[in-house]
Each structure stands twice: as structure tokens, then as C-alpha cells.
């Protein structure tokens, strides 16, 4: 990974193995998990696509043309990588119209396949996504056995739930812009840019708090005043006194230790946990000012990410691993604990192909 992510601590120590990811699009496969069934009727045509080497917004624009609608009439639950093979659903608003013939669209877009269509009574929105299934092929590994050993640790204890490098832009440019905006050096009127910079600011602060807890050796250990997340919001709790039972529930995965997605309201944590979080985030006063000026609401995010359905196999210098992650979590957070990624020939890192 690049120097940007190298500033954050590794849970199992910096990997010694070097290798490549996404040498070919087929080396990074993503399948979307919506987690709900379609109504079978309604104004929205649901189109399941498999795309190779194309980004989601390009396909959205082309599908809109094929359906005779504007791009804003096509929606998605999540954006998917370009340099990959990805499957996802798109929704097209076609009130009172029959399903269009998409055979010409497929014929003229060899990187896109139509896998399935359906009808639904609501459009897809960001946030509708339950998760994603990933299959990653890590190649040219100089220490593949070390990768396998780390996979065993990850299956047992998870990985840091870091926001990936793509959240921060090339060379962290979104964070740089966010600091400048927070310093009143310019105004941002474009809604998408505002969203990018605010998201980068909050994600950066979360990563900093998470890294600090790893460095201090308490990422698995409940602190007095920690905000613990349960299966539902009603089961969330702030811990005044740490007990053996509470610690055991965290270790069993019943409760999750969290860090802040900063907002303009006070932290819900207290005591030792609040002091730790504030000591970290106050080192970024411009990002805090930006978040507060824009009235962002405080949220919580688990410190650790536990990949589900993990399966892997090694063949010579290649390790193929598959797993399921919840929406909003990054496969690169898993890869980061496995190997040091060699740069592509043009100096980029593979996880920037959005």
C-alpha cells in the first residue's frame, strides 16, 4: 500500500510478504448482496449486470441511453471497482413503460452482461446494500506461507475496520482539500465534492482513533466509557464499569467496541474512552471545524471487521481468498494485513481503479 495508509498501525504487524492484486480484472471479483427480494411489479426495472473493466457510472449512463431515459433515472445501491469483475443491480425508472429490449446494449458493450431482470416498486438507493462477496487472487507472492498464516489469524480475530485508501483520493487529496475547506480557503458548492470531502474528513479521523487503539494495545480490550454496539441500536451501551462479563461478550462477538464518525454533537463516550478519542481527533482541528460547520451528526463504527465465509487456497506463489463483508467495509482492509502491494507499472496501486 502507499505511504498514506502506512501511517496507520497494522493489527498483526506490517506484513513481510510482497505481492500483486488485480493484475487482471478476473483477480478481483465482487458480487453484490442486497438482502431483500423484489416485489415482482412496479415502476422500476431492476437490471442485474456483470461488468468487466468498466466503472458503474459509465454503465449507468449507457444503460440510460438504451432505455430512453436520463441518467438520473438509473440508480444503484453501491459503486463498484472498475478494474474488476463485478455483479450488481441497477434500477431504471420506467413508469407505465414495458421492459426495453437490451440485446443491442449488450452487443455494443462487450464489458457488460445482463444477467437478470425484475420489477420492483422502489428504486435502489445508496444504503440499500447489505454487503458484498469478494474473491481475490493475490499473485507473485514472495512469502505465500506468511499470507496463509495471517489468514488464519484474520479468520479468528478479524482485521482493523479501516476505511480504504480510495476513500481519501489520490495521495490523500480529499483530506487535503477538506483541511483547506475547513480553513475557509475556498467554498465548495458542488454537492458531490462536498460529500467526498466531508466523508474523507470523518473517515480519516476514525482511522486515526482506530490506529491509536491498536498502537496502545487496547483494540480488543474494553475501556471505561466505551460505546459498545449491539445487534440492534436498542442494545448499544456505554460502559461505565468494565466487567469480565462485558469483556467476554465482546470477545464472543455479541458486542463491538466502536470509534467515532465525528459530528457536531458531543461524543457519547465517557471517561478513558472519551479522553482517548478526543486526544486523537483534536490533532486535526481543521477537519473537526469542517465537520461541525456542516452540522454532521455523530455516528459509531466498529473497530474490528470480521470477514464471514472465509475460504482460501494456496497454489505455488498465488493465494485465492473469498469472504463476505458488510456494506461500507473495504476488502483492501483485509489485503493490507496480508501483504505489501507492489505498485502497478504506471506507479498506481490497484485499489484506485474506481
Amino acid at each position: 500500500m502507499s505511504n498514506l495508509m502506512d501511517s496507520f498501525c497494522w493489527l498483526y504487524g506490517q506484513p513481510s510478504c510482497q505481492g500483486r492484486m488485480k493484475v487482471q480484472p478476473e483477480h478481483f471479483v465482487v458480487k453484490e448482496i442486497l438482502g431483500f427480494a423484489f416485489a415482482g411489479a412496479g415502476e422500476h426495472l431492476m437490471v442485474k449486470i456483470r461488468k468487466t473493466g468498466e466503472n458503474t457510472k459509465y454503465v449507468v449512463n449507457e444503460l440510460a441511453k438504451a432505455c430512453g431515459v436520463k441518467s438520473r433515472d438509473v440508480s444503484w445501491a453501491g459503486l463498484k471497482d472498475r478494474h474488476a469483475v463485478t455483479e450488481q443491480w441497477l434500477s431504471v425508472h420506467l413508469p407505465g413503460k414495458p421492459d426495453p429490449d437490451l440485446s443491442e446494449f449488450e452487443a455494443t458493450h462487450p464489458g457488460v452482461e445482463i444477467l437478470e431482470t425484475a420489477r420492483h416498486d422502489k428504486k435502489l438507493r445508496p444504503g440499500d446494500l447489505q454487503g458484498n462477496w469478494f474473491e481475490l487472487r493475490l499473485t507473485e507472492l514472495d512469502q505465500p506461507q506468511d499470507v496463509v498464516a495471517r489468514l488464519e489469524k484474520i479468520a479468528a480475530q478479524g482485521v482493523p475496520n479501516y476505511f480504504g485508501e480510495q476513500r481519501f483520493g489520490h495521495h490523500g487529496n480529499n483530506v487535503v482539500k477538506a483541511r483547506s475547506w475547513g480553513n475557509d480557503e475556498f467554498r465548495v458548492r458542488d454537492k458531490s465534492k462536498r460529500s467526498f470531502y466531508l466523508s474523507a474528513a470523518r473517515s480519516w479521523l476514525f482511522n486515526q482513533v482506530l490506529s491509536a487503539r491498536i498502537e496502545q494495545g487496547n483494540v480488543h480490550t474494553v475501556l471505561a466509557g466505551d460505546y459498545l454496539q449491539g445487534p440492534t441500536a436498542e442494545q448499544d451501551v456505554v460502559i461505565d464499569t468494565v466487567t469480565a462479563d462485558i469483556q467476554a461478550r465482546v470477545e464472543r462477538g455479541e458486542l463491538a467496541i466502536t470509534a467515532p464518525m465525528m459530528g457536531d454533537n458531543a461524543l457519547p463516550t465517557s471517561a478513558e474512552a472519551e479522553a482517548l478519542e478526543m486526544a486523537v481527533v483534536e490533532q486535526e482541528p481543521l477537519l473537526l471545524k469542517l465537520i461541525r460547520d456542516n452540522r454532521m451528526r455523530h455516528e459509531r463504527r466498529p473497530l474490528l471487521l470480521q470477514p464471514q465465509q472465509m475460504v482460501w487456497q494456496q497454489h505455488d506463489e498465488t493465494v485465492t481468498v473469498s469472504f463476505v463483508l458488510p456494506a461500507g467495509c473495504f476488502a483492501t482492509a483485509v489485503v493490507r494485513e496480508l501483504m505489501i502491494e507492489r505498485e502497478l507499472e504506471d506507479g498506481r496501486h490497484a485499489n484506485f481503479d474506481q
Side-chain angles (χ1 to χ4, degrees), residues 127-171:
D128 285 342
L129 192 62
Q130 177 178 309
N132 292 288
W133 178 86
F134 296 89
E135 182 181 81
L136 312 181
R137 192 178 306 172
L138 310 179
T139 61
E140 302 176 40
L141 300 172
D142 58 10
Q143 298 180 53
Q145 288 298 334
D146 184 62
V147 171
V148 171
R150 284 171 173 264
L151 281 166
E152 292 171 352
K153 292 180 180 179
I154 289 169
Q157 300 185 62
V159 296
N161 195 16
Y162 284 127
F163 287 95
E165 189 168 1
Q166 55 267 55
R167 175 60 61 94
F168 307 118
H170 289 280
H171 306 296

Side-chain angles (χ1 to χ4, degrees), residues 158 220 351:
H220 291 104
N351 55 315

Side-chain angles (χ1 to χ4, degrees), residues 92 100-101 200 235 254 261 300 309:
V92 187
D101 181 357
Q235 294 170 282
E254 298 171 9
M261 297 294 292
R300 305 297 295 186
Q309 302 175 32

Side-chain angles (χ1 to χ4, degrees), residues 8 10 122 153 210 224 310:
F8 303 124
W10 285 266
K122 296 181 179 66
K153 292 180 180 179
L210 172 51
M310 280 195 80

Side-chain angles (χ1 to χ4, degrees), residues 214-235:
I214 295 173
E215 185 176 23
Q216 294 175 24
N218 54 34
V219 72
H220 291 104
T221 304
V222 181
L223 302 178
D226 256 330
Y227 188 107
L228 303 185
Q229 199 172 77
T232 66
E234 291 74 21
Q235 294 170 282

Side-chain angles (χ1 to χ4, degrees), residues 112-293:
V112 184
E113 301 171 69
I114 305 295
L115 302 180
E116 192 178 345
T117 60
R119 281 279 180 165
H120 194 47
D121 54 2
K122 296 181 179 66
K123 75 174 187 177
L124 288 175
R125 300 176 183 274
D128 285 342
L129 192 62
Q130 177 178 309
N132 292 288
W133 178 86
F134 296 89
E135 182 181 81
L136 312 181
R137 192 178 306 172
L138 310 179
T139 61
E140 302 176 40
L141 300 172
D142 58 10
Q143 298 180 53
Q145 288 298 334
D146 184 62
V147 171
V148 171
R150 284 171 173 264
L151 281 166
E152 292 171 352
K153 292 180 180 179
I154 289 169
Q157 300 185 62
V159 296
N161 195 16
Y162 284 127
F163 287 95
E165 189 168 1
Q166 55 267 55
R167 175 60 61 94
F168 307 118
H170 289 280
H171 306 296
N173 186 60
N174 289 348
V175 180
V176 174
K177 290 287 189 181
R179 291 191 188 105
S180 297
W181 182 15
N183 199 35
D184 298 321
E185 295 175 22
F186 61 90
R187 294 184 178 181
V188 182
R189 293 184 173 86
D190 183 271
K191 288 181 66 176
S192 63
K193 288 185 178 180
R194 292 176 68 92
S195 177
F196 284 144
Y197 300 156
L198 287 167
S199 178
R202 300 175 83 206
S203 301
W204 184 259
L205 293 177
F206 173 89
N207 278 13
Q208 294 282 5
V209 173
L210 172 51
S211 182
R213 288 196 69 143
I214 295 173
E215 185 176 23
Q216 294 175 24
N218 54 34
V219 72
H220 291 104
T221 304
V222 181
L223 302 178
D226 256 330
Y227 188 107
L228 303 185
Q229 199 172 77
T232 66
E234 291 74 21
Q235 294 170 282
D236 293 358
V237 60
V238 176
I239 298 302
D240 294 325
T241 303
V242 182
T243 65
D245 177 64
I246 288 293
Q247 183 63 45
R249 292 182 66 191
V250 168
E251 292 171 1
R252 291 196 298 267
E254 298 171 9
L255 295 169
I257 306 171
T258 65
M261 297 294 292
M262 293 300 295
D264 68 344
N265 45 332
L267 288 176
T269 48
S270 63
E272 189 178 1
E274 180 187 18
L276 183 155
E277 292 174 358
M278 289 306 299
V280 174
V281 300
E282 285 179 342
Q283 295 178 38
E284 289 279 5
L286 296 179
L287 297 185
L288 277 180
K289 177 179 179 296
L290 177 66
I291 291 165
R292 290 165 176 165
D293 286 351

